[in-house]
Amino acid sequence: MSLKKNIIALRQKKAIVEKGGGDKAIEKQVAMGKMTARDRVLALLDVDSFHEYDLFVEHEERNFGMETKALAGDGVITGTGTMNGAPICIYAQDFTVMGGSLGLKHARKITKIMDHALKMKVPCIGINDSGGARIQEGIGALAGYGEIFYRNTMSSGVIPQISVILGPCAGGAVYSPALTDFVFVVENISKMFITGPNVIETVLGEKISQEDLGGARVHAEITGNAHFYALSELECFEQIKELVSLIPHSNQQKAASIEPKEPVSKFNIENIIPSDPKQPYDVRDIIHALTDDSKFLEIHELWAANIVIGFGRLNGETIGFVANQPMYLAGVLDCDASDKAARFIRYCDAFNVPIVTLEDMPGYLPGVDQEHAGVIRHGAKMLYSYSEATVPKITVILRKAYGGGYIAMNSRHLGADFMFAWPGAEIAVMGPEGAANIIFRKEIMEAEDEDAMRQQKVQEYIEKFANPYVAASKGYIDAVIEPSETRELLLHALEVSKNKDDHRPAKKHGIPPF
Ligand code: HXC
């Protein structure tokens, strides 16, 4: 055959496979409001940048009628491309091909692109739209998942791994994402569960919809399995591009820096915290007042809202922000907030992203629920991850810094490089009311006017301890600063920390309170 004919034959072969599960299955996919796997990849990557591999891989299963089934690309598209001009490895499961279920060859396509990403030190993005292990393949499918999980773990902390959930994902199709760094979900489209509603009905006799079992909001708000939530696939892709522009593409690279811009003037840092210390405010306004161009990409926006985490830039460089959120539960630390912050701190540390901590919280949340939910173990994760982190670590105490929370929020004692406090900061073992009731209990009970005495003692306590000067007098705070000086001091501290060289004792690995 002439080369021309060969080329035509190749194009015809490609066109058949690129159709995935065929017109009918594609119609069904589109009717569900979902893009096809191929369209997703093309929409996510830079125009004309996608190069596909292993298009002609076929499954080898010979049981349960599989011998006669041709599965286009074995139900998954894999390849490389660029995003914002930077190289990316990607795979996308195709639900139109046997529900995107994962057989051994399907898995091997994924592990091949994962190996490539790890070797080439580029981010790996997985679009998951799959009913999990291909039931007909049995052990082959399980082996395939095991090989994916192993690679997820090997890549962890070396290259960014991003999972996008764009369909009803079951079993292994959610365990791999759970091992990755960031999980994206889309309203009405994303579903994640270990066992689907039909299995639950068979085994437990309970009827539940896919949405109620594991819809996008369930995972963005309740379980915390999802880090980003969007209303449409296209919005989700924009979020991914923004994240990828902000993070380093391996643990040996820096995030791309951009021309710094001053924060926009509408965020006036002097006016954000109310004069009444009991009044809440949105700590994100403080972050916006500090970051370049007032930009901030929040992670886990809907889950454990009492702590805010995310990326912004200072002087053009990516910084991880961890901030208590007084607007929600007064910004207390609880089990979920600790998990959320601790994992993010480890992410920043693994990828050499400096951490700025903004502190305003009354401590750990007391109560039976929290104690029984394991607040001791969960809360300890924050102590562990801040202590372990060797990236530049800067804390600004905005207002309240009480009790264990003072220590946990990157205190000097856990290795903060720079500790700043605003003049209204209150640093003490507990809030003035609680403290006065305990240490002046006798005087208050014996007073003629208990309330007046309580107020007097609360005031005494505030004057003595609830200020930044006691900590500053001991050198635990490096400088008490005016709010308007904060950005400049952060920029300076980061500049000074550029060549920070900090080491931990040699060990195989630590044993964090998982
Ligand atoms: C083979 C599968 C499949 C699977 C779906 N399909 N899941 N084929 N193996 N795991 C096929 C269906 O038979 C159907 O084929 C097509 O994909 C579309 O599926 P539907 O059921 O029509 O779609 P929908 O109603 O949207 O339901 C999607 C679903 C459901 C919720 C994912 O299909 C489902 O519950 N599947 C099984 C989920 C599951 O339990 N997976 C195993 C997990 S165990 P046709 O030909 O009719 O179009 C696992 C082990 C690893 O993953 C665990 C590691 C820790």
Side-chain angles (χ1 to χ4, degrees):
M1 242 199 298
S2 69
L3 179 60
K4 207 168 170 189
K5 278 189 179 155
N6 278 333
I7 291 172
I8 291 168
L10 167 67
R11 286 182 184 166
Q12 286 169 341
K13 253 171 132 27
K14 279 172 86 173
I16 293 169
V17 182
E18 284 174 0
K19 269 255 149 101
D23 291 333
K24 239 176 136 182
I26 291 174
E27 261 172 44
K28 200 173 154 197
Q29 173 96 345
V30 173
M32 285 190 286
K34 294 162 68 180
M35 293 168 76
T36 64
R38 192 162 298 279
D39 286 346
R40 285 167 173 166
V41 172
L42 297 179
L44 193 49
L45 298 182
D46 295 339
V47 177
D48 289 336
S49 75
F50 179 56
H51 295 279
E52 184 169 0
Y53 313 119
D54 290 338
L55 182 67
F56 300 122
V57 162
E58 289 174 6
H59 74 85
E60 289 170 355
E61 181 56 48
R62 294 293 169 262
N63 292 310
F64 303 108
M66 291 292 287
E67 56 278 16
T68 55
K69 272 197 176 143
L71 301 181
D74 205 21
V76 63
I77 296 169
T78 60
T80 53
T82 61
M83 185 176 283
N84 315 316
I88 296 285
C89 286
I90 192 163
Y91 71 85
Q93 293 177 308
D94 186 347
F95 198 79
T96 69
V97 180
M98 225 177 170
S101 58
L102 180 138
L104 186 60
K105 290 307 209 54
H106 175 126
R108 291 268 160 85
K109 280 181 73 171
I110 294 175
T111 53
K112 191 168 160 185
I113 205 70
M114 290 174 80
D115 287 342
H116 201 66
L118 184 58
K119 225 185 298 168
M120 305 308 169
K121 302 282 180 289
V122 299
C124 190
I125 300 179
I127 300 180
N128 298 265
D129 188 358
S130 165
R134 188 174 295 151
I135 295 160
Q136 294 85 338
E137 290 206 25
I139 183 68
L142 296 180
Y145 266 129
E147 290 171 18
I148 292 173
F149 302 159
Y150 178 79
R151 282 163 177 80
N152 284 136
T153 309
M154 292 307 111
S155 294
S156 180
V158 184
I159 52 167
Q161 299 183 85
I162 292 171
S163 297
V164 199
I165 308 295
L166 292 180
C169 291
V174 292
Y175 265 132
S176 170
L179 289 167
T180 63
D181 305 322
F182 300 106
V183 176
F184 289 74
V185 291
V186 175
E187 181 66 29
N188 292 326
I189 290 177
S190 314
K191 278 107 193 169
M192 301 168 79
F193 25 74
I194 297 300
T195 40
N198 40 3
V199 179
I200 290 183
E201 198 178 343
T202 313
V203 178
L204 302 173
E206 285 171 19
K207 256 187 179 311
I208 186 162
S209 70
Q210 287 187 16
E211 193 64 40
D212 288 342
L213 182 61
R217 271 200 97 90
V218 168
H219 290 298
E221 233 176 76
I222 300 173
T223 67
N225 285 328
H227 300 78
F228 292 94
Y229 165 86
L231 293 174
S232 70
E233 295 197 27
L234 292 179
E235 186 193 349
C236 168
F237 296 160
E238 288 312 308
Q239 291 174 343
I240 296 169
K241 287 179 207 179
E242 193 181 349
L243 174 71
V244 169
S245 75
L246 275 162
I247 53 179
H249 287 194
S250 83
N251 64 352
Q252 288 157 33
Q253 297 168 43
K254 274 176 59 119
S257 63
I258 61 168
E259 195 58 36
K261 273 190 186 165
E262 284 300 300
V264 300
S265 55
K266 84 168 179 180
F267 297 102
N268 182 344
I269 202 157
E270 303 274 357
N271 297 339
I272 298 167
I273 297 195
S275 43
D276 177 353
K278 289 204 177 92
Q279 287 300 309
Y281 61 93
D282 189 345
V283 77
R284 290 172 297 192
D285 289 343
I286 304 265
I287 298 175
H288 290 301
L290 293 172
T291 54
D292 290 5
D293 206 16
S294 297
K295 287 197 171 135
F296 177 58
L297 179 67
E298 188 170 355
I299 302 166
H300 275 314
E301 185 181 346
L302 301 176
W303 179 61
N306 35 329
I307 202 152
V308 171
I309 58 169
F311 296 113
R313 283 196 172 92
L314 289 174
N315 203 23
E317 309 282 347
T318 296
I319 306 296
F321 285 86
V322 178
N324 308 116
Q325 175 56 289
M327 217 170 70
Y328 192 86
L329 290 176
V332 285
L333 293 176
D334 59 6
C335 294
D336 285 348
S338 303
D339 279 10
K340 173 172 161 178
R343 190 170 188 271
F344 180 66
I345 293 158
R346 293 196 100 199
Y347 183 88
C348 291
D349 191 45
F351 287 95
N352 307 310
V353 175
I355 302 166
V356 168
T357 303
L358 303 175
E359 182 170 358
D360 184 352
M361 52 85 240
Y364 279 100
L365 181 62
V368 177
D369 287 352
Q370 282 295 305
E371 296 292 348
H372 288 193
V375 71
I376 297 172
R377 174 165 45 88
H378 292 285
K381 293 176 195 178
M382 283 195 68
L383 308 175
Y384 194 102
S385 49
Y386 268 129
S387 302
E388 175 192 51
T390 56
V391 289
K393 299 183 288 189
I394 306 166
T395 298
V396 184
I397 300 178
L398 307 174
R399 198 168 62 172
K400 297 183 181 119
Y402 284 113
Y406 156 74
I407 305 170
M409 289 298 289
N410 190 39
S411 59
R412 160 70 19 89
H413 324 290
L414 301 187
D417 298 301
F418 293 93
M419 290 289 304
F420 302 120
W422 285 8
E426 304 167 18
I427 306 169
V429 172
M430 62 171 70
E433 280 82 6
N437 274 334
I438 294 170
I439 57 179
F440 302 116
R441 191 166 58 126
K442 229 167 140 208
E443 288 97 317
I444 292 170
M445 275 172 62
E446 284 167 3
E448 253 176 48
D449 184 341
E450 280 192 28
D451 283 345
M453 178 60 87
R454 184 176 292 109
Q455 271 324 304
Q456 186 194 319
K457 292 297 177 190
V458 164
Q459 207 44 45
E460 263 178 43
Y461 187 85
I462 289 173
E463 275 157 31
K464 241 199 171 112
F465 294 114
N467 62 62
Y469 300 106
V470 181
S473 74
K474 298 181 190 306
Y476 299 147
I477 300 291
D478 300 313
V480 181
I481 62 170
E482 295 181 27
S484 60
E485 296 174 297
T486 311
R487 178 173 154 92
E488 203 190 313
L489 270 161
L490 288 178
L491 298 185
H492 177 70
L494 288 162
E495 182 66 29
V496 171
S497 313
K498 255 192 174 144
N499 297 320
K500 182 180 174 186
D501 191 11
D502 197 3
H503 295 281
R504 296 290 177 260
K507 54 180 145 177
K508 189 172 172 191
H509 55 68
I511 303 153
F514 278 166

